């Protein structure tokens, strides 16, 4: 145990593996060399030792130098000349140190990582391969000139333009290009045998998805066939397959492997194939018919093929990695770091049957306003971590926008699973700054069968059912009997929203008016809004059908703007027929809650040359008026401008009497539910009387709605009410009909 620990700590020291491994691996690299004699001189087709020594420097750094010098000295002692080991050491160390030093300058960090990283490809190709080979080749030329290499059989300077010079340079270049990655892997495996498993894992990860054993076997068969054709014994009856023409057929097959099998696999295999081809070159390069030319062509093919395969493998592997990373990122929300809706859709498509639970937490909206968006993020993350032990291996929690989550569970016994999930969620406590929070969670669920083509529509229905779950305090099934009305309500709401947006864009609204008669003869009209149907002749949509949808989807302000502008345009166009006409216009809470609404009214009045006293703005007192300060600021601005303010449907709103103290208005409209029955209900009569007394204290005028008989009209007049409105006074009619009866305007 002690020895193993000591070895792990000391194996990278200069006197350990870096000193021993070069002497073991250098003979193997020398054995991989392929050489021949051409024109009385030695030429190499591939030269591996320089790539081996550079790989040692890349892994061990300066600690590799003693081992490199020792290995070279041992290897070159048998050669003639007492200075042969020294010359060999100098010949190798100079290019290795210059190239490795330059590479370290340009790549100071993570410079020893696995080959195939595209950002390191250019520096490695330039410094470790090209410059390294050039310096090594240049020193070799100097050595020939000074007679250092007697073993080469050359005593004079080499002709730089001789084919032998080109072939030797290409041999060194090929040896560095293929040998450095190959021996890098071998050294890593010798240093740590478990790297074998890591290498195999990385090699599999780099392969194109969809690669099968059949494809790999077919590719290997092609490679073996081509190598066999090349290495057939040459004779007088040689065919086209026993020439260097067949060598070119290797390239497309290797490119096929580079694009499909990844960098690590193809570069390792190509190094082995190249060594075999170079060693058996005499089988496909006959010594007759221009042997020198064929040898130069084959050497160039080795170099070009190696560079092409290397770069193609790097680029395709990198593109595959980026594609997989992009796909992986596309299925993970970058903020919450949870699987998103796209991941849910993919997971549903891989299972024939699934159950989908929808979790809605509306209180996160309020908590997020007070504590920031980070609270919502951490809530989802903590809930996800809390649910993971409860879920099976192929079940997961998915992030949805806003304050919603989805959980995919297996179809088997999903009813019991959803019930257990509900109980599990109710026990969850969210911790925020030391506070334990428990926002209420609504859960709805349904079962799904593949294929899923309606996931977005389905989630909308589940969201509606989850709202119902918040009131029933139990999971609600979308497919149980009685849920059809919820689905139909969602469909109708979406259809109405679409119809409403089209109506706003095209102006498909109709303005109607109802007469409001003053006891003192000062009459005015209330503007009523209707929406046209899809086809000519269809019934008009009443406000109750589309205004709630407009408020929910944030369209009510646009409708108010359209009504106001259409009314002012009508008044401007017909000011001669209707001089001094007054109209009351209903405003939604969204309009009176906007800062710029008063200035918009002022600009429109100026644009159409309408006096402010001709407009009365009606607001409905309700719990929608949440920002009382802003509402008062808007109403005060309208009153200061000269417009009048009326509170509509008073008596049925939220905390009417309490709110009346905070809102300044000119007119109070008593809700018709009290007026209609005041002659038969003493309670309603007393309520109306109390409202009248309150209005007098606030110096407000009164309007009685739903006046439908002379008895009711007389009763409200006796209470001092200023205006009456109802079917007795006038029914709603088109705005244009006022032009036919201007005396009643």
């Amino acid at each position: 145990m002690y020895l193993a620990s000591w070895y792990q700590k000391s194996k990278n020291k200069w006197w350990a593996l870096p000193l021993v491994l070069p002497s073991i691996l250098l003979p193997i690299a020398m054995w991989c060399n392929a050489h021949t004699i051409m024109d009385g001189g030695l030429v190499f087709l591939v030269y591996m030792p320089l790539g081996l020594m550079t790989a040692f420097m890349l892994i061990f750094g300066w600690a590799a130098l003693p081992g490199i010098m020792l290995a070279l000295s041992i290897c070159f002692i048998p050669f003639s000349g007492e200075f042969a080991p020294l010359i060999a050491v100098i010949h190798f160390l100079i290019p290795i140190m210059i190239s490795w030093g330059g590479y370290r300058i340009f790549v100071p960090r993570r410079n020893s990582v696995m080959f195939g990283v595209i950002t390191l490809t250019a520096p490695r190709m330039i410094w470790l391969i090209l410059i390294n080979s050039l310096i090594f080749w240049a020193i070799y030329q100097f050595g020939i000139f000074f007679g250092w290499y007697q073993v080469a059989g050359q005593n004079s300077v080499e002709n730089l333009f001789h084919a032998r010079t080109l072939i030797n340079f290409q041999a060194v270049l090929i040896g560095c290009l293929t040998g450095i990655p190959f021996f890098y892997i071998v050294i890593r495996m010798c240093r740590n045998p478990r790297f074998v498993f890591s290498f195999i894992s990385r090699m599999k990860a780099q392969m194109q998805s969809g690669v099968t054993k059949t494809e790999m076997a077919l590719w290997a068969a092609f490679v073996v066939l081509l190598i066999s054709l090349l290495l057939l014994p040459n004779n007088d009856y040689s065919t086209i397959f026993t020439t260097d023409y067949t060598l070119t057929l290797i390239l497309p097959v290797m490119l096929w492997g580079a694009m499909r099998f990844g960098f690590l696999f193809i570069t390792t295999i190509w190094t082995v194939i190249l060594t075999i081809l170079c060693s058996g070159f005499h089988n496909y390069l006959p010594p007759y018919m221009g042997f020198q030319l064929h040898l130069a062509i084959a050497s160039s093919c080795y170099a070009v093929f190696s560079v092409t395969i290397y770069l193609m493998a790097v680029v395709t592997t990198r593109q595959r990695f980026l594609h997989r990373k992009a796909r992986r990122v596309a299925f993970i929300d970058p903020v919450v770091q949870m699987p998103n809706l796209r991941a849910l859709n993919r997971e549903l498509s891989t299972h024939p049957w699934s159950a989908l639970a929808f979790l809605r937490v509306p209180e996160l909206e309020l908590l997020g306003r007070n504590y920031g968006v980070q609270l919502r993020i951490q809530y989802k993350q903590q809930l996800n971590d809390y649910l993971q032990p409860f879920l099976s291996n192929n079940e997961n929690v998915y992030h949805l926008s806003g304050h919603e989550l989805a959980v995919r569970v297996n179809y088997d016994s999903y009813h019991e699973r959803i019930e257990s999930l509900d109980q599990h969620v109710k026990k969850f406590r969210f911790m925020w700054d030391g506070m334990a929070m428990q926002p209420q969670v609504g859960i709805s669920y349904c079962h799904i069968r593949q294929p899923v083509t309606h996931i977005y529509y389905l989630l909308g229905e589940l969201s509606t059912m989850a709202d119902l779950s918040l009131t029933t305090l139990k999971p609600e099934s979308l497919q149980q009997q009685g849920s059809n009305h919820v689905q139909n309500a969602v469909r109708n709401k979406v259809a109405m929203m679409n119809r409403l947006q089209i109506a706003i864009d095209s102006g498909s609204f109709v303005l109607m008016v109802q007469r409001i008669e003053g006891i003192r003869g000062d009459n005015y009209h209330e503007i009523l809004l209707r929406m046209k149907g899809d086809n000519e002749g269809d019934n008009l949509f009443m406000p109750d059908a589309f205004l709630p949808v407009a408020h929910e989807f944030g369209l009510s302000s646009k409708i108010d703007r359209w009504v106001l502008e259409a009314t002012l345009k009508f008044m401007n166009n017909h000011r001669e027929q209707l001089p001094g006409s007054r109209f009351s216009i209903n405003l939604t809470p969204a309009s009176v809650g906007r800062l710029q609404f008063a200035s918009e009214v002022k600009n429109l009045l100026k644009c159409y040359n309408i006096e402010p006293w001709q407009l009365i703005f009606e607001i409905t007192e309700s719990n929608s008026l949440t920002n009382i300060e802003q509402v008062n600021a808007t109403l005060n601005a309208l009153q200061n401008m000269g417009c009048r303010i009326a509170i509509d449907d008073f008596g049925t709103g939220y905390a009417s009497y309490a709110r009346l103290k905070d809102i300044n208005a000119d007119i109070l409209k008593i809700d018709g539910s009290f007026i209609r029955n005041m002659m038969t209900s003493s309670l309603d009569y007393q309520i109306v009387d109390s409202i009248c007394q309150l209005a007098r204290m606030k110096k407000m005028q009164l309007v009685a709605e739903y006046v439908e008989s002379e008895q009711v009209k007389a009763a409200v007049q006796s209470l001092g009410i200023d205006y009456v409105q109802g079917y007795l006074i006038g029914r709603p009619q088109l705005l244009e009909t006022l032009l036919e009866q201007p005396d009643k305007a």
Side-chain angles (χ1 to χ4, degrees), residues 59-353:
I59 294 176
F60 295 110
W62 297 111
L65 288 178
I68 293 174
M69 291 187 290
L70 177 62
L72 292 171
S73 300
I74 296 174
C75 184
F76 284 92
I77 284 178
F79 288 85
S80 61
E82 56 186 14
F83 296 107
L86 178 61
I87 293 173
V89 170
I90 296 174
H91 193 173
F92 276 86
L93 287 187
I94 291 177
I96 289 175
M97 293 177 64
I98 293 175
S99 60
W100 181 74
Y103 171 72
R104 286 293 303 270
I105 293 174
F106 282 89
V107 187
R109 298 182 59 188
R110 294 184 58 81
N111 51 74
S112 299
V113 297
M114 178 77 76
F115 280 78
V117 180
I118 197 168
T119 55
L120 300 180
T121 299
R124 285 175 171 173
M125 292 281 287
I126 294 172
W127 286 99
L128 300 182
I129 297 172
L130 182 60
I131 293 179
N132 197 7
S133 302
L134 279 172
I135 297 175
F136 188 86
W137 171 80
I139 295 175
Y140 177 72
Q141 297 302 314
F142 277 106
I144 294 176
F145 178 77
F146 289 106
W148 297 343
Y149 302 109
Q150 299 295 329
V151 69
Q154 296 164 270
N155 298 317
S156 60
V157 64
E158 180 77 76
N159 183 0
L160 296 180
F161 299 99
H162 195 278
R164 186 168 51 242
T165 306
L166 174 63
I167 294 173
N168 280 329
F169 172 69
Q170 290 179 158
V172 178
L173 188 70
I174 296 169
C176 288
L177 183 62
T178 59
I180 295 177
F182 181 80
F183 287 113
Y184 175 92
I185 296 170
V186 173
I187 296 170
R188 290 284 300 271
M189 291 179 180
C190 294
R191 190 175 66 166
N192 183 8
R194 287 180 296 180
F195 180 75
V196 175
F197 303 103
S198 176
F199 174 74
I200 295 174
S201 176
R202 294 183 185 184
M203 188 167 57
K204 290 180 178 179
Q206 289 183 359
M207 290 187 178
Q208 175 73 35
S209 58
V211 171
T212 61
K213 294 181 179 179
T214 303
E215 181 181 356
M216 296 190 69
L218 182 63
W219 176 85
F222 272 110
V223 172
V224 172
L225 175 63
L226 291 175
I227 294 176
S228 301
L229 292 174
L230 283 169
L231 299 182
L232 282 175
N234 193 16
N235 51 52
D236 295 336
Y237 304 98
S238 62
T239 66
I240 191 175
F241 295 108
T242 57
T243 68
D244 52 5
Y245 292 111
T246 311
L247 188 63
T248 58
L249 300 178
I250 289 287
L251 180 60
V253 178
M254 298 306 298
L255 292 181
W256 170 17
M259 291 186 292
R260 296 287 291 174
F261 306 143
F263 177 85
L264 293 178
F265 177 84
I266 202 65
T267 53
T268 304
I269 295 297
W270 173 243
T271 303
V272 176
I273 294 174
L274 184 65
T275 303
I276 296 174
L277 291 177
C278 291
S279 300
F281 73 94
H282 54 276
N283 290 314
Y284 54 90
L285 296 179
Y288 50 87
M289 294 187 304
F291 173 72
Q292 178 177 327
L293 177 61
H294 282 286
L295 192 64
I297 293 175
S299 176
S300 299
C301 287
Y302 300 149
V304 173
F305 290 2
S306 298
V307 173
T308 304
I309 293 168
Y310 188 100
L311 294 179
M312 180 62 73
V314 168
V315 172
T316 54
T317 302
R318 176 63 176 176
Q319 291 298 322
R320 199 150 45 237
F321 170 77
L322 293 177
H323 178 69
R324 290 174 179 173
K325 183 178 180 181
R327 283 182 58 85
R328 185 168 59 252
V329 170
F331 293 106
I332 298 293
D333 183 82
V335 177
V336 186
Q337 295 298 311
M338 290 174 55
N340 56 16
L341 181 57
R342 187 181 286 110
L344 172 62
N345 201 15
R346 180 185 63 176
E347 192 66 21
L348 291 175
S349 64
T350 59
H351 294 81
W353 287 89

Side-chain angles (χ1 to χ4, degrees), residues 20-75:
V20 177
L21 277 181
S23 300
I24 298 175
L25 296 181
L26 183 56
I28 299 176
M30 296 289 288
W31 178 77
C32 292
N33 292 341
H35 57 82
T36 187
I37 302 297
M38 187 176 71
D39 293 341
L42 184 66
V43 291
F44 284 89
L45 293 179
V46 62
Y47 190 76
M48 290 292 189
L50 182 62
L52 170 65
M53 300 307 174
T54 306
F56 273 111
M57 288 294 295
L58 192 62
I59 294 176
F60 295 110
W62 297 111
L65 288 178
I68 293 174
M69 291 187 290
L70 177 62
L72 292 171
S73 300
I74 296 174
C75 184

Side-chain angles (χ1 to χ4, degrees), residues 670-681 684 688 705-709 712 716 727:
I670 305 174
D671 188 76
S673 60
F674 301 113
I675 300 297
R676 181 188 291 118
N677 301 320
M678 64 179 297
M679 300 303 297
T680 57
S681 173
D684 287 344
V688 173
E705 299 178 324
Y706 283 63
V707 176
E708 299 175 350
S709 65
V712 174
V716 298
Y727 284 174

